[in-house]
């Protein structure tokens, strides 16, 4: 199968094109996003013929890759302010490449001792950052949604150990703010709790959990004859990028024996920034948390951590009897802790970024993106016609332009259609806003001014 000379030649082509692609994206000359209709794209890439006939070679691969890259979305582009996906740094990209060739699916140690050990050490580092101490445990999974599911499964096992054998009792409840990521509600349904098990926590006008209203929420659960399984907080929330106040929530959970789960998919990386670490104050009181590498640690999609304060909680998630994972000096299997059976070498992506940039470098990356978002907020607040509902705490900023009836989603469409800016939108306090997420160092103050100009122009 592998003609090694062929592989080398194609790999050099790939490296050359990717380098040019990242450089061009960073200069911002190409459209940040293109969404031509799928039929046109299938024809442009000649997909059906390749699928039928095969026969791609060095020359035709070069042409195919060029079209493929040109028609995609450029995350390294200064005007990329869309979803919270990292503009990957190159050490992590190398890890993807290595995995693609080596393929050590190391959910069992003997299928990749080096990969499994890298994951183990990355998790140990993350546990230390989270303040979970030496008793903690973790595993890397394919994404934050799966990580939330896994953490809540651990909570379910802690509250109802028999559920694994006997099925799920009908009286469980989850306390969740409406601002939580949708994967939490989904997890409740997947876990067999049903969406009706969700008891919404009271939040302020910006969707942050109101710690003073927690006793009332617990009261509602108990009066409904339900058993609380877990309470979920966001650090930070996806829509607004605002952090729930973890310490008082954690203290309430500890006082009432509630499992406290912190969804830090996006915002846990602020642990690496001296200036922003305080946003996660109280995290160490959580029973479980999740942390995505593919958001603010500069790795490609996906590499997410599930971390628990007591290691055994994770082992019990997938079985009643925790069978310890270590076989003395023979290594360890993580397969007992994950939904997945076969798994990617997820640890290597996070590890290589850390090894190359250092904990400090990644912390500076987080701090710099958060600072750029803060400047966008300031600039927008000062401009006539713009309104900003809150001061951002992270790299996610929401704002509106124009009168109350101006359709912000249509405004976003117009910017996307001409490929000048990629923004998302979100509801804040029941009103649709434009939403910008600063992911990438190419986004400068000049970009921010140009964005506000472009929004103004698109609206008028
Ligand atoms: C992105 C995100 C998730 C989902 O993570 P995926 O890796 O996209 O599955 C969950 N929670 C929060 C707060 C997020 O921002």
């Amino acid at each position: 199968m592998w003609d090694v000379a062929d592989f080398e030649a194609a790999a050099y082509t790939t490296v050359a094109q990717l380098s040019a692609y990242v450089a061009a994206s960073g200069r911002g000359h190409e459209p940040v996003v293109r969404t031509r209709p799928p039929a046109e794209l299938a024809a442009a890439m000649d997909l059906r013929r390749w699928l039928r006939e095969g026969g791609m070679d060095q020359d035709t691969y070069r042409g195919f890759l060029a079209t493929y890259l040109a028609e995609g979305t450029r995350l390294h582009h200064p005007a990329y302010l869309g979803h919270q996906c990292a503009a990957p740094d190159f050490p992590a990209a190398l890890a993807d490449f290595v995995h693609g060739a080596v393929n050590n699916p190391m959910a069992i140690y003997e299928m990749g001792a080096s990969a499994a050990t890298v994951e183990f050490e990355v998790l140990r580092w993350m546990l230390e950052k989270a303040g979970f101490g030496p008793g903690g445990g973790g595993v890397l999974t394919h994404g934050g949604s799966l990580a939330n599911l896994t953490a809540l499964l651990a909570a379910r096992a802690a509250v109802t150990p028999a559920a694994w054998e006997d099925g799920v009792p009908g009286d469980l409840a989850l306390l969740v703010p409406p601002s939580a990521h949708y994967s939490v509600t989904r997890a409740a349904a997947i876990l067999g709790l049903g969406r009706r098990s969700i008891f919404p926590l009271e939040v302020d006008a910006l969707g942050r959990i109101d710690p003073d209203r927690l006793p009332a929420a617990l009261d509602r659960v108990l009066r409904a004859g339900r058993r609380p399984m877990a309470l979920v907080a966001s650090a930070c929330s996806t829509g607004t990028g605002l952090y729930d106040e973890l310490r008082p929530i954690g203290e309430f959970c500890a006082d009432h024996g509630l499992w406290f789960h912190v969804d830090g998919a996006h915002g846990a990386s602020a642990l690496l920034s001296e200036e922003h670490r305080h946003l996660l104050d109280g995290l160490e009181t959580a029973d479980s948390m999740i942390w995505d590498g593919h958001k603010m640690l500069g790795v490609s999609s996906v590499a997410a951590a599930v971390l628990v304060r007591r290691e055994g909680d994770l082992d019990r998630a997938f079985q009643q009897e925790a069978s310890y994972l270590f076989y003395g000096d023979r290594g360890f299997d993580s397969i007992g802790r994950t939904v997945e059976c076969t798994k990617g070498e997820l640890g290597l992506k996070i590890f290589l970024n850390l090894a190359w940039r250092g904990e400090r470098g990644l912390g500076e990356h987080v701090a710099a993106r958060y600072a750029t978002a803060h400047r966008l907020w300031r600039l927008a607040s000062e401009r006539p016609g713009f309104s900003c509902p809150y001061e951002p705490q992270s790299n996610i900023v929401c704002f509106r332009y124009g009168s109350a009836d101006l359709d912000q989603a249509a405004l976003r469409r117009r910017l996307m259609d001409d490929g000048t800016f990629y923004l998302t939108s979100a509801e804040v306090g029941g009103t649709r806003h434009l939403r910008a997420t600063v992911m990438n160092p190419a986004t400068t103050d000049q970009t921010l001014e140009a964005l506000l100009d472009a929004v103004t122009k698109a609206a008028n």
Side-chain angles (χ1 to χ4, degrees), residues 15 18-19 88-102 298-300 345 348-349 352-353 356:
V15 169
L18 287 179
S19 304
D89 199 356
F90 77 82
L94 298 178
D96 278 323
F97 191 49
V98 170
H99 171 61
V102 171
V299 318
S300 69
E345 292 162 52
L348 190 62
K349 303 208 261 192
L352 281 184
N353 267 2
W356 217 289

Side-chain angles (χ1 to χ4, degrees), residues 144-450:
S145 302
L146 208 49
N148 271 333
L149 176 70
T150 307
L152 292 174
L153 183 62
R156 196 188 75 180
V159 173
T160 58
W164 190 262
E165 286 296 321
D166 300 338
V168 185
D171 64 343
L172 298 179
L174 271 176
L175 293 103
V176 181
S179 45
H181 189 262
Y182 77 91
S183 60
V184 172
T185 317
R186 259 199 189 182
I190 296 170
L191 291 169
L193 274 66
R195 289 175 49 121
R196 264 200 287 278
S197 69
I198 304 258
F199 283 65
L201 292 172
E202 287 171 68
V203 291
D204 68 12
L206 295 169
R208 282 174 299 204
I209 294 173
D210 181 351
D212 293 336
R213 301 295 297 159
L214 292 176
L218 182 57
D219 230 39
R220 276 195 299 280
V221 169
L222 298 176
R223 269 189 287 114
R226 296 255 187 175
R227 268 188 297 167
M229 191 187 96
L231 187 152
V232 179
S234 312
C236 52
S237 87
T238 306
T240 60
L242 294 172
Y243 285 76
D244 283 324
E245 221 183 317
L246 302 184
R247 185 162 299 281
I249 302 171
E251 280 167 5
F252 176 83
C253 289
D255 287 349
H256 295 84
L258 287 175
W259 181 286
F260 181 30
H261 174 62
V262 175
D263 182 348
H266 183 93
S269 296
L271 288 167
L272 308 184
S273 161
E274 201 76 63
E275 192 188 334
H276 299 95
R277 193 175 302 148
H278 68 93
L279 294 165
L280 292 138
D281 178 55
L283 175 64
E284 75 283 357
T285 65
D287 297 283
S288 59
M289 69 166 292
I290 71 160
W291 180 355
D292 280 359
H294 53 285
K295 287 183 172 158
M296 296 306 293
L297 296 182
V299 318
S300 69
S301 310
V302 290
V306 188
L307 305 174
V308 293
R309 190 144 50 90
R310 295 165 301 271
E311 184 157 38
D313 283 344
L314 198 49
D315 299 323
R316 277 185 291 272
F318 291 94
Q319 60 215 323
Q320 272 187 293
E321 299 296 321
S323 68
Y324 206 53
L325 298 161
F326 284 86
Y327 312 131
D329 59 1
R330 301 284 297 280
F332 41 83
D333 299 342
S334 60
I335 196 162
R337 292 182 174 182
T338 49
V339 175
E340 299 99 315
C341 170
T342 307
K343 216 174 80 166
E345 292 162 52
L346 307 180
L348 190 62
K349 303 208 261 192
I350 299 175
F351 171 77
L352 281 184
N353 267 2
L354 271 164
W356 217 289
R357 305 298 180 206
E359 192 179 304
R360 232 180 80 212
L362 289 184
E364 282 164 6
H365 164 66
V366 173
R369 305 297 81 78
Y370 278 31
T372 304
H374 199 265
R375 283 199 298 281
L376 173 57
W377 167 74
R378 189 167 295 286
L379 289 170
S381 306
E382 287 164 356
R383 280 229 193 178
F386 285 86
S387 57
C388 306
Y390 61 89
E391 180 177 352
Q393 287 181 309
S394 66
N395 55 331
I396 300 173
V397 192
C398 291
F399 58 95
R400 288 180 50 84
Y401 180 80
S403 58
D405 55 357
L406 185 68
D407 184 348
Q408 305 292 308
L411 206 51
R412 178 184 104 89
R413 244 306 119 214
R414 240 167 278 155
L415 294 171
M416 302 262 301
D417 282 347
D418 63 12
T420 48
F421 281 96
Y422 188 172
L423 295 175
T424 54
S425 77
E427 279 203 4
V428 186
T431 311
R432 177 100 356 225
H433 283 72
L434 296 171
R435 175 174 172 275
T437 310
V438 180
M439 295 306 295
N440 135 28
T443 304
T444 61
D445 286 11
Q446 225 179 339
T447 321
L448 305 180
E449 298 279 8

Side-chain angles (χ1 to χ4, degrees), residues 96-140:
D96 278 323
F97 191 49
V98 170
H99 171 61
V102 171
N103 193 27
N104 273 196
M106 27 50 74
I108 54 174
Y109 190 74
E110 64 192 32
M111 278 303 292
S114 50
T117 304
V118 166
E119 170 167 329
F120 183 79
E121 291 298 329
V122 165
L123 284 165
R124 199 218 293 275
W125 173 82
M126 289 175 120
L127 284 162
E128 189 191 304
K129 290 292 137 197
F132 277 9
V139 73
L140 294 181

Side-chain angles (χ1 to χ4, degrees), residues 30-70:
E30 303 289 328
V32 58
V33 56
R34 279 194 173 111
T35 48
R36 285 166 68 190
E40 263 180 45
L41 282 182
M45 291 185 276
D46 214 0
L47 300 184
R48 292 187 188 171
R49 189 176 64 81
W50 287 123
L51 289 170
R52 257 195 330 267
E53 296 171 18
M56 189 174 274
D57 60 15
Q58 298 290 341
D59 272 346
T60 46
Y61 169 65
R62 190 174 296 118
F64 168 81
L65 184 60
T67 311
Y68 182 87
L69 294 175

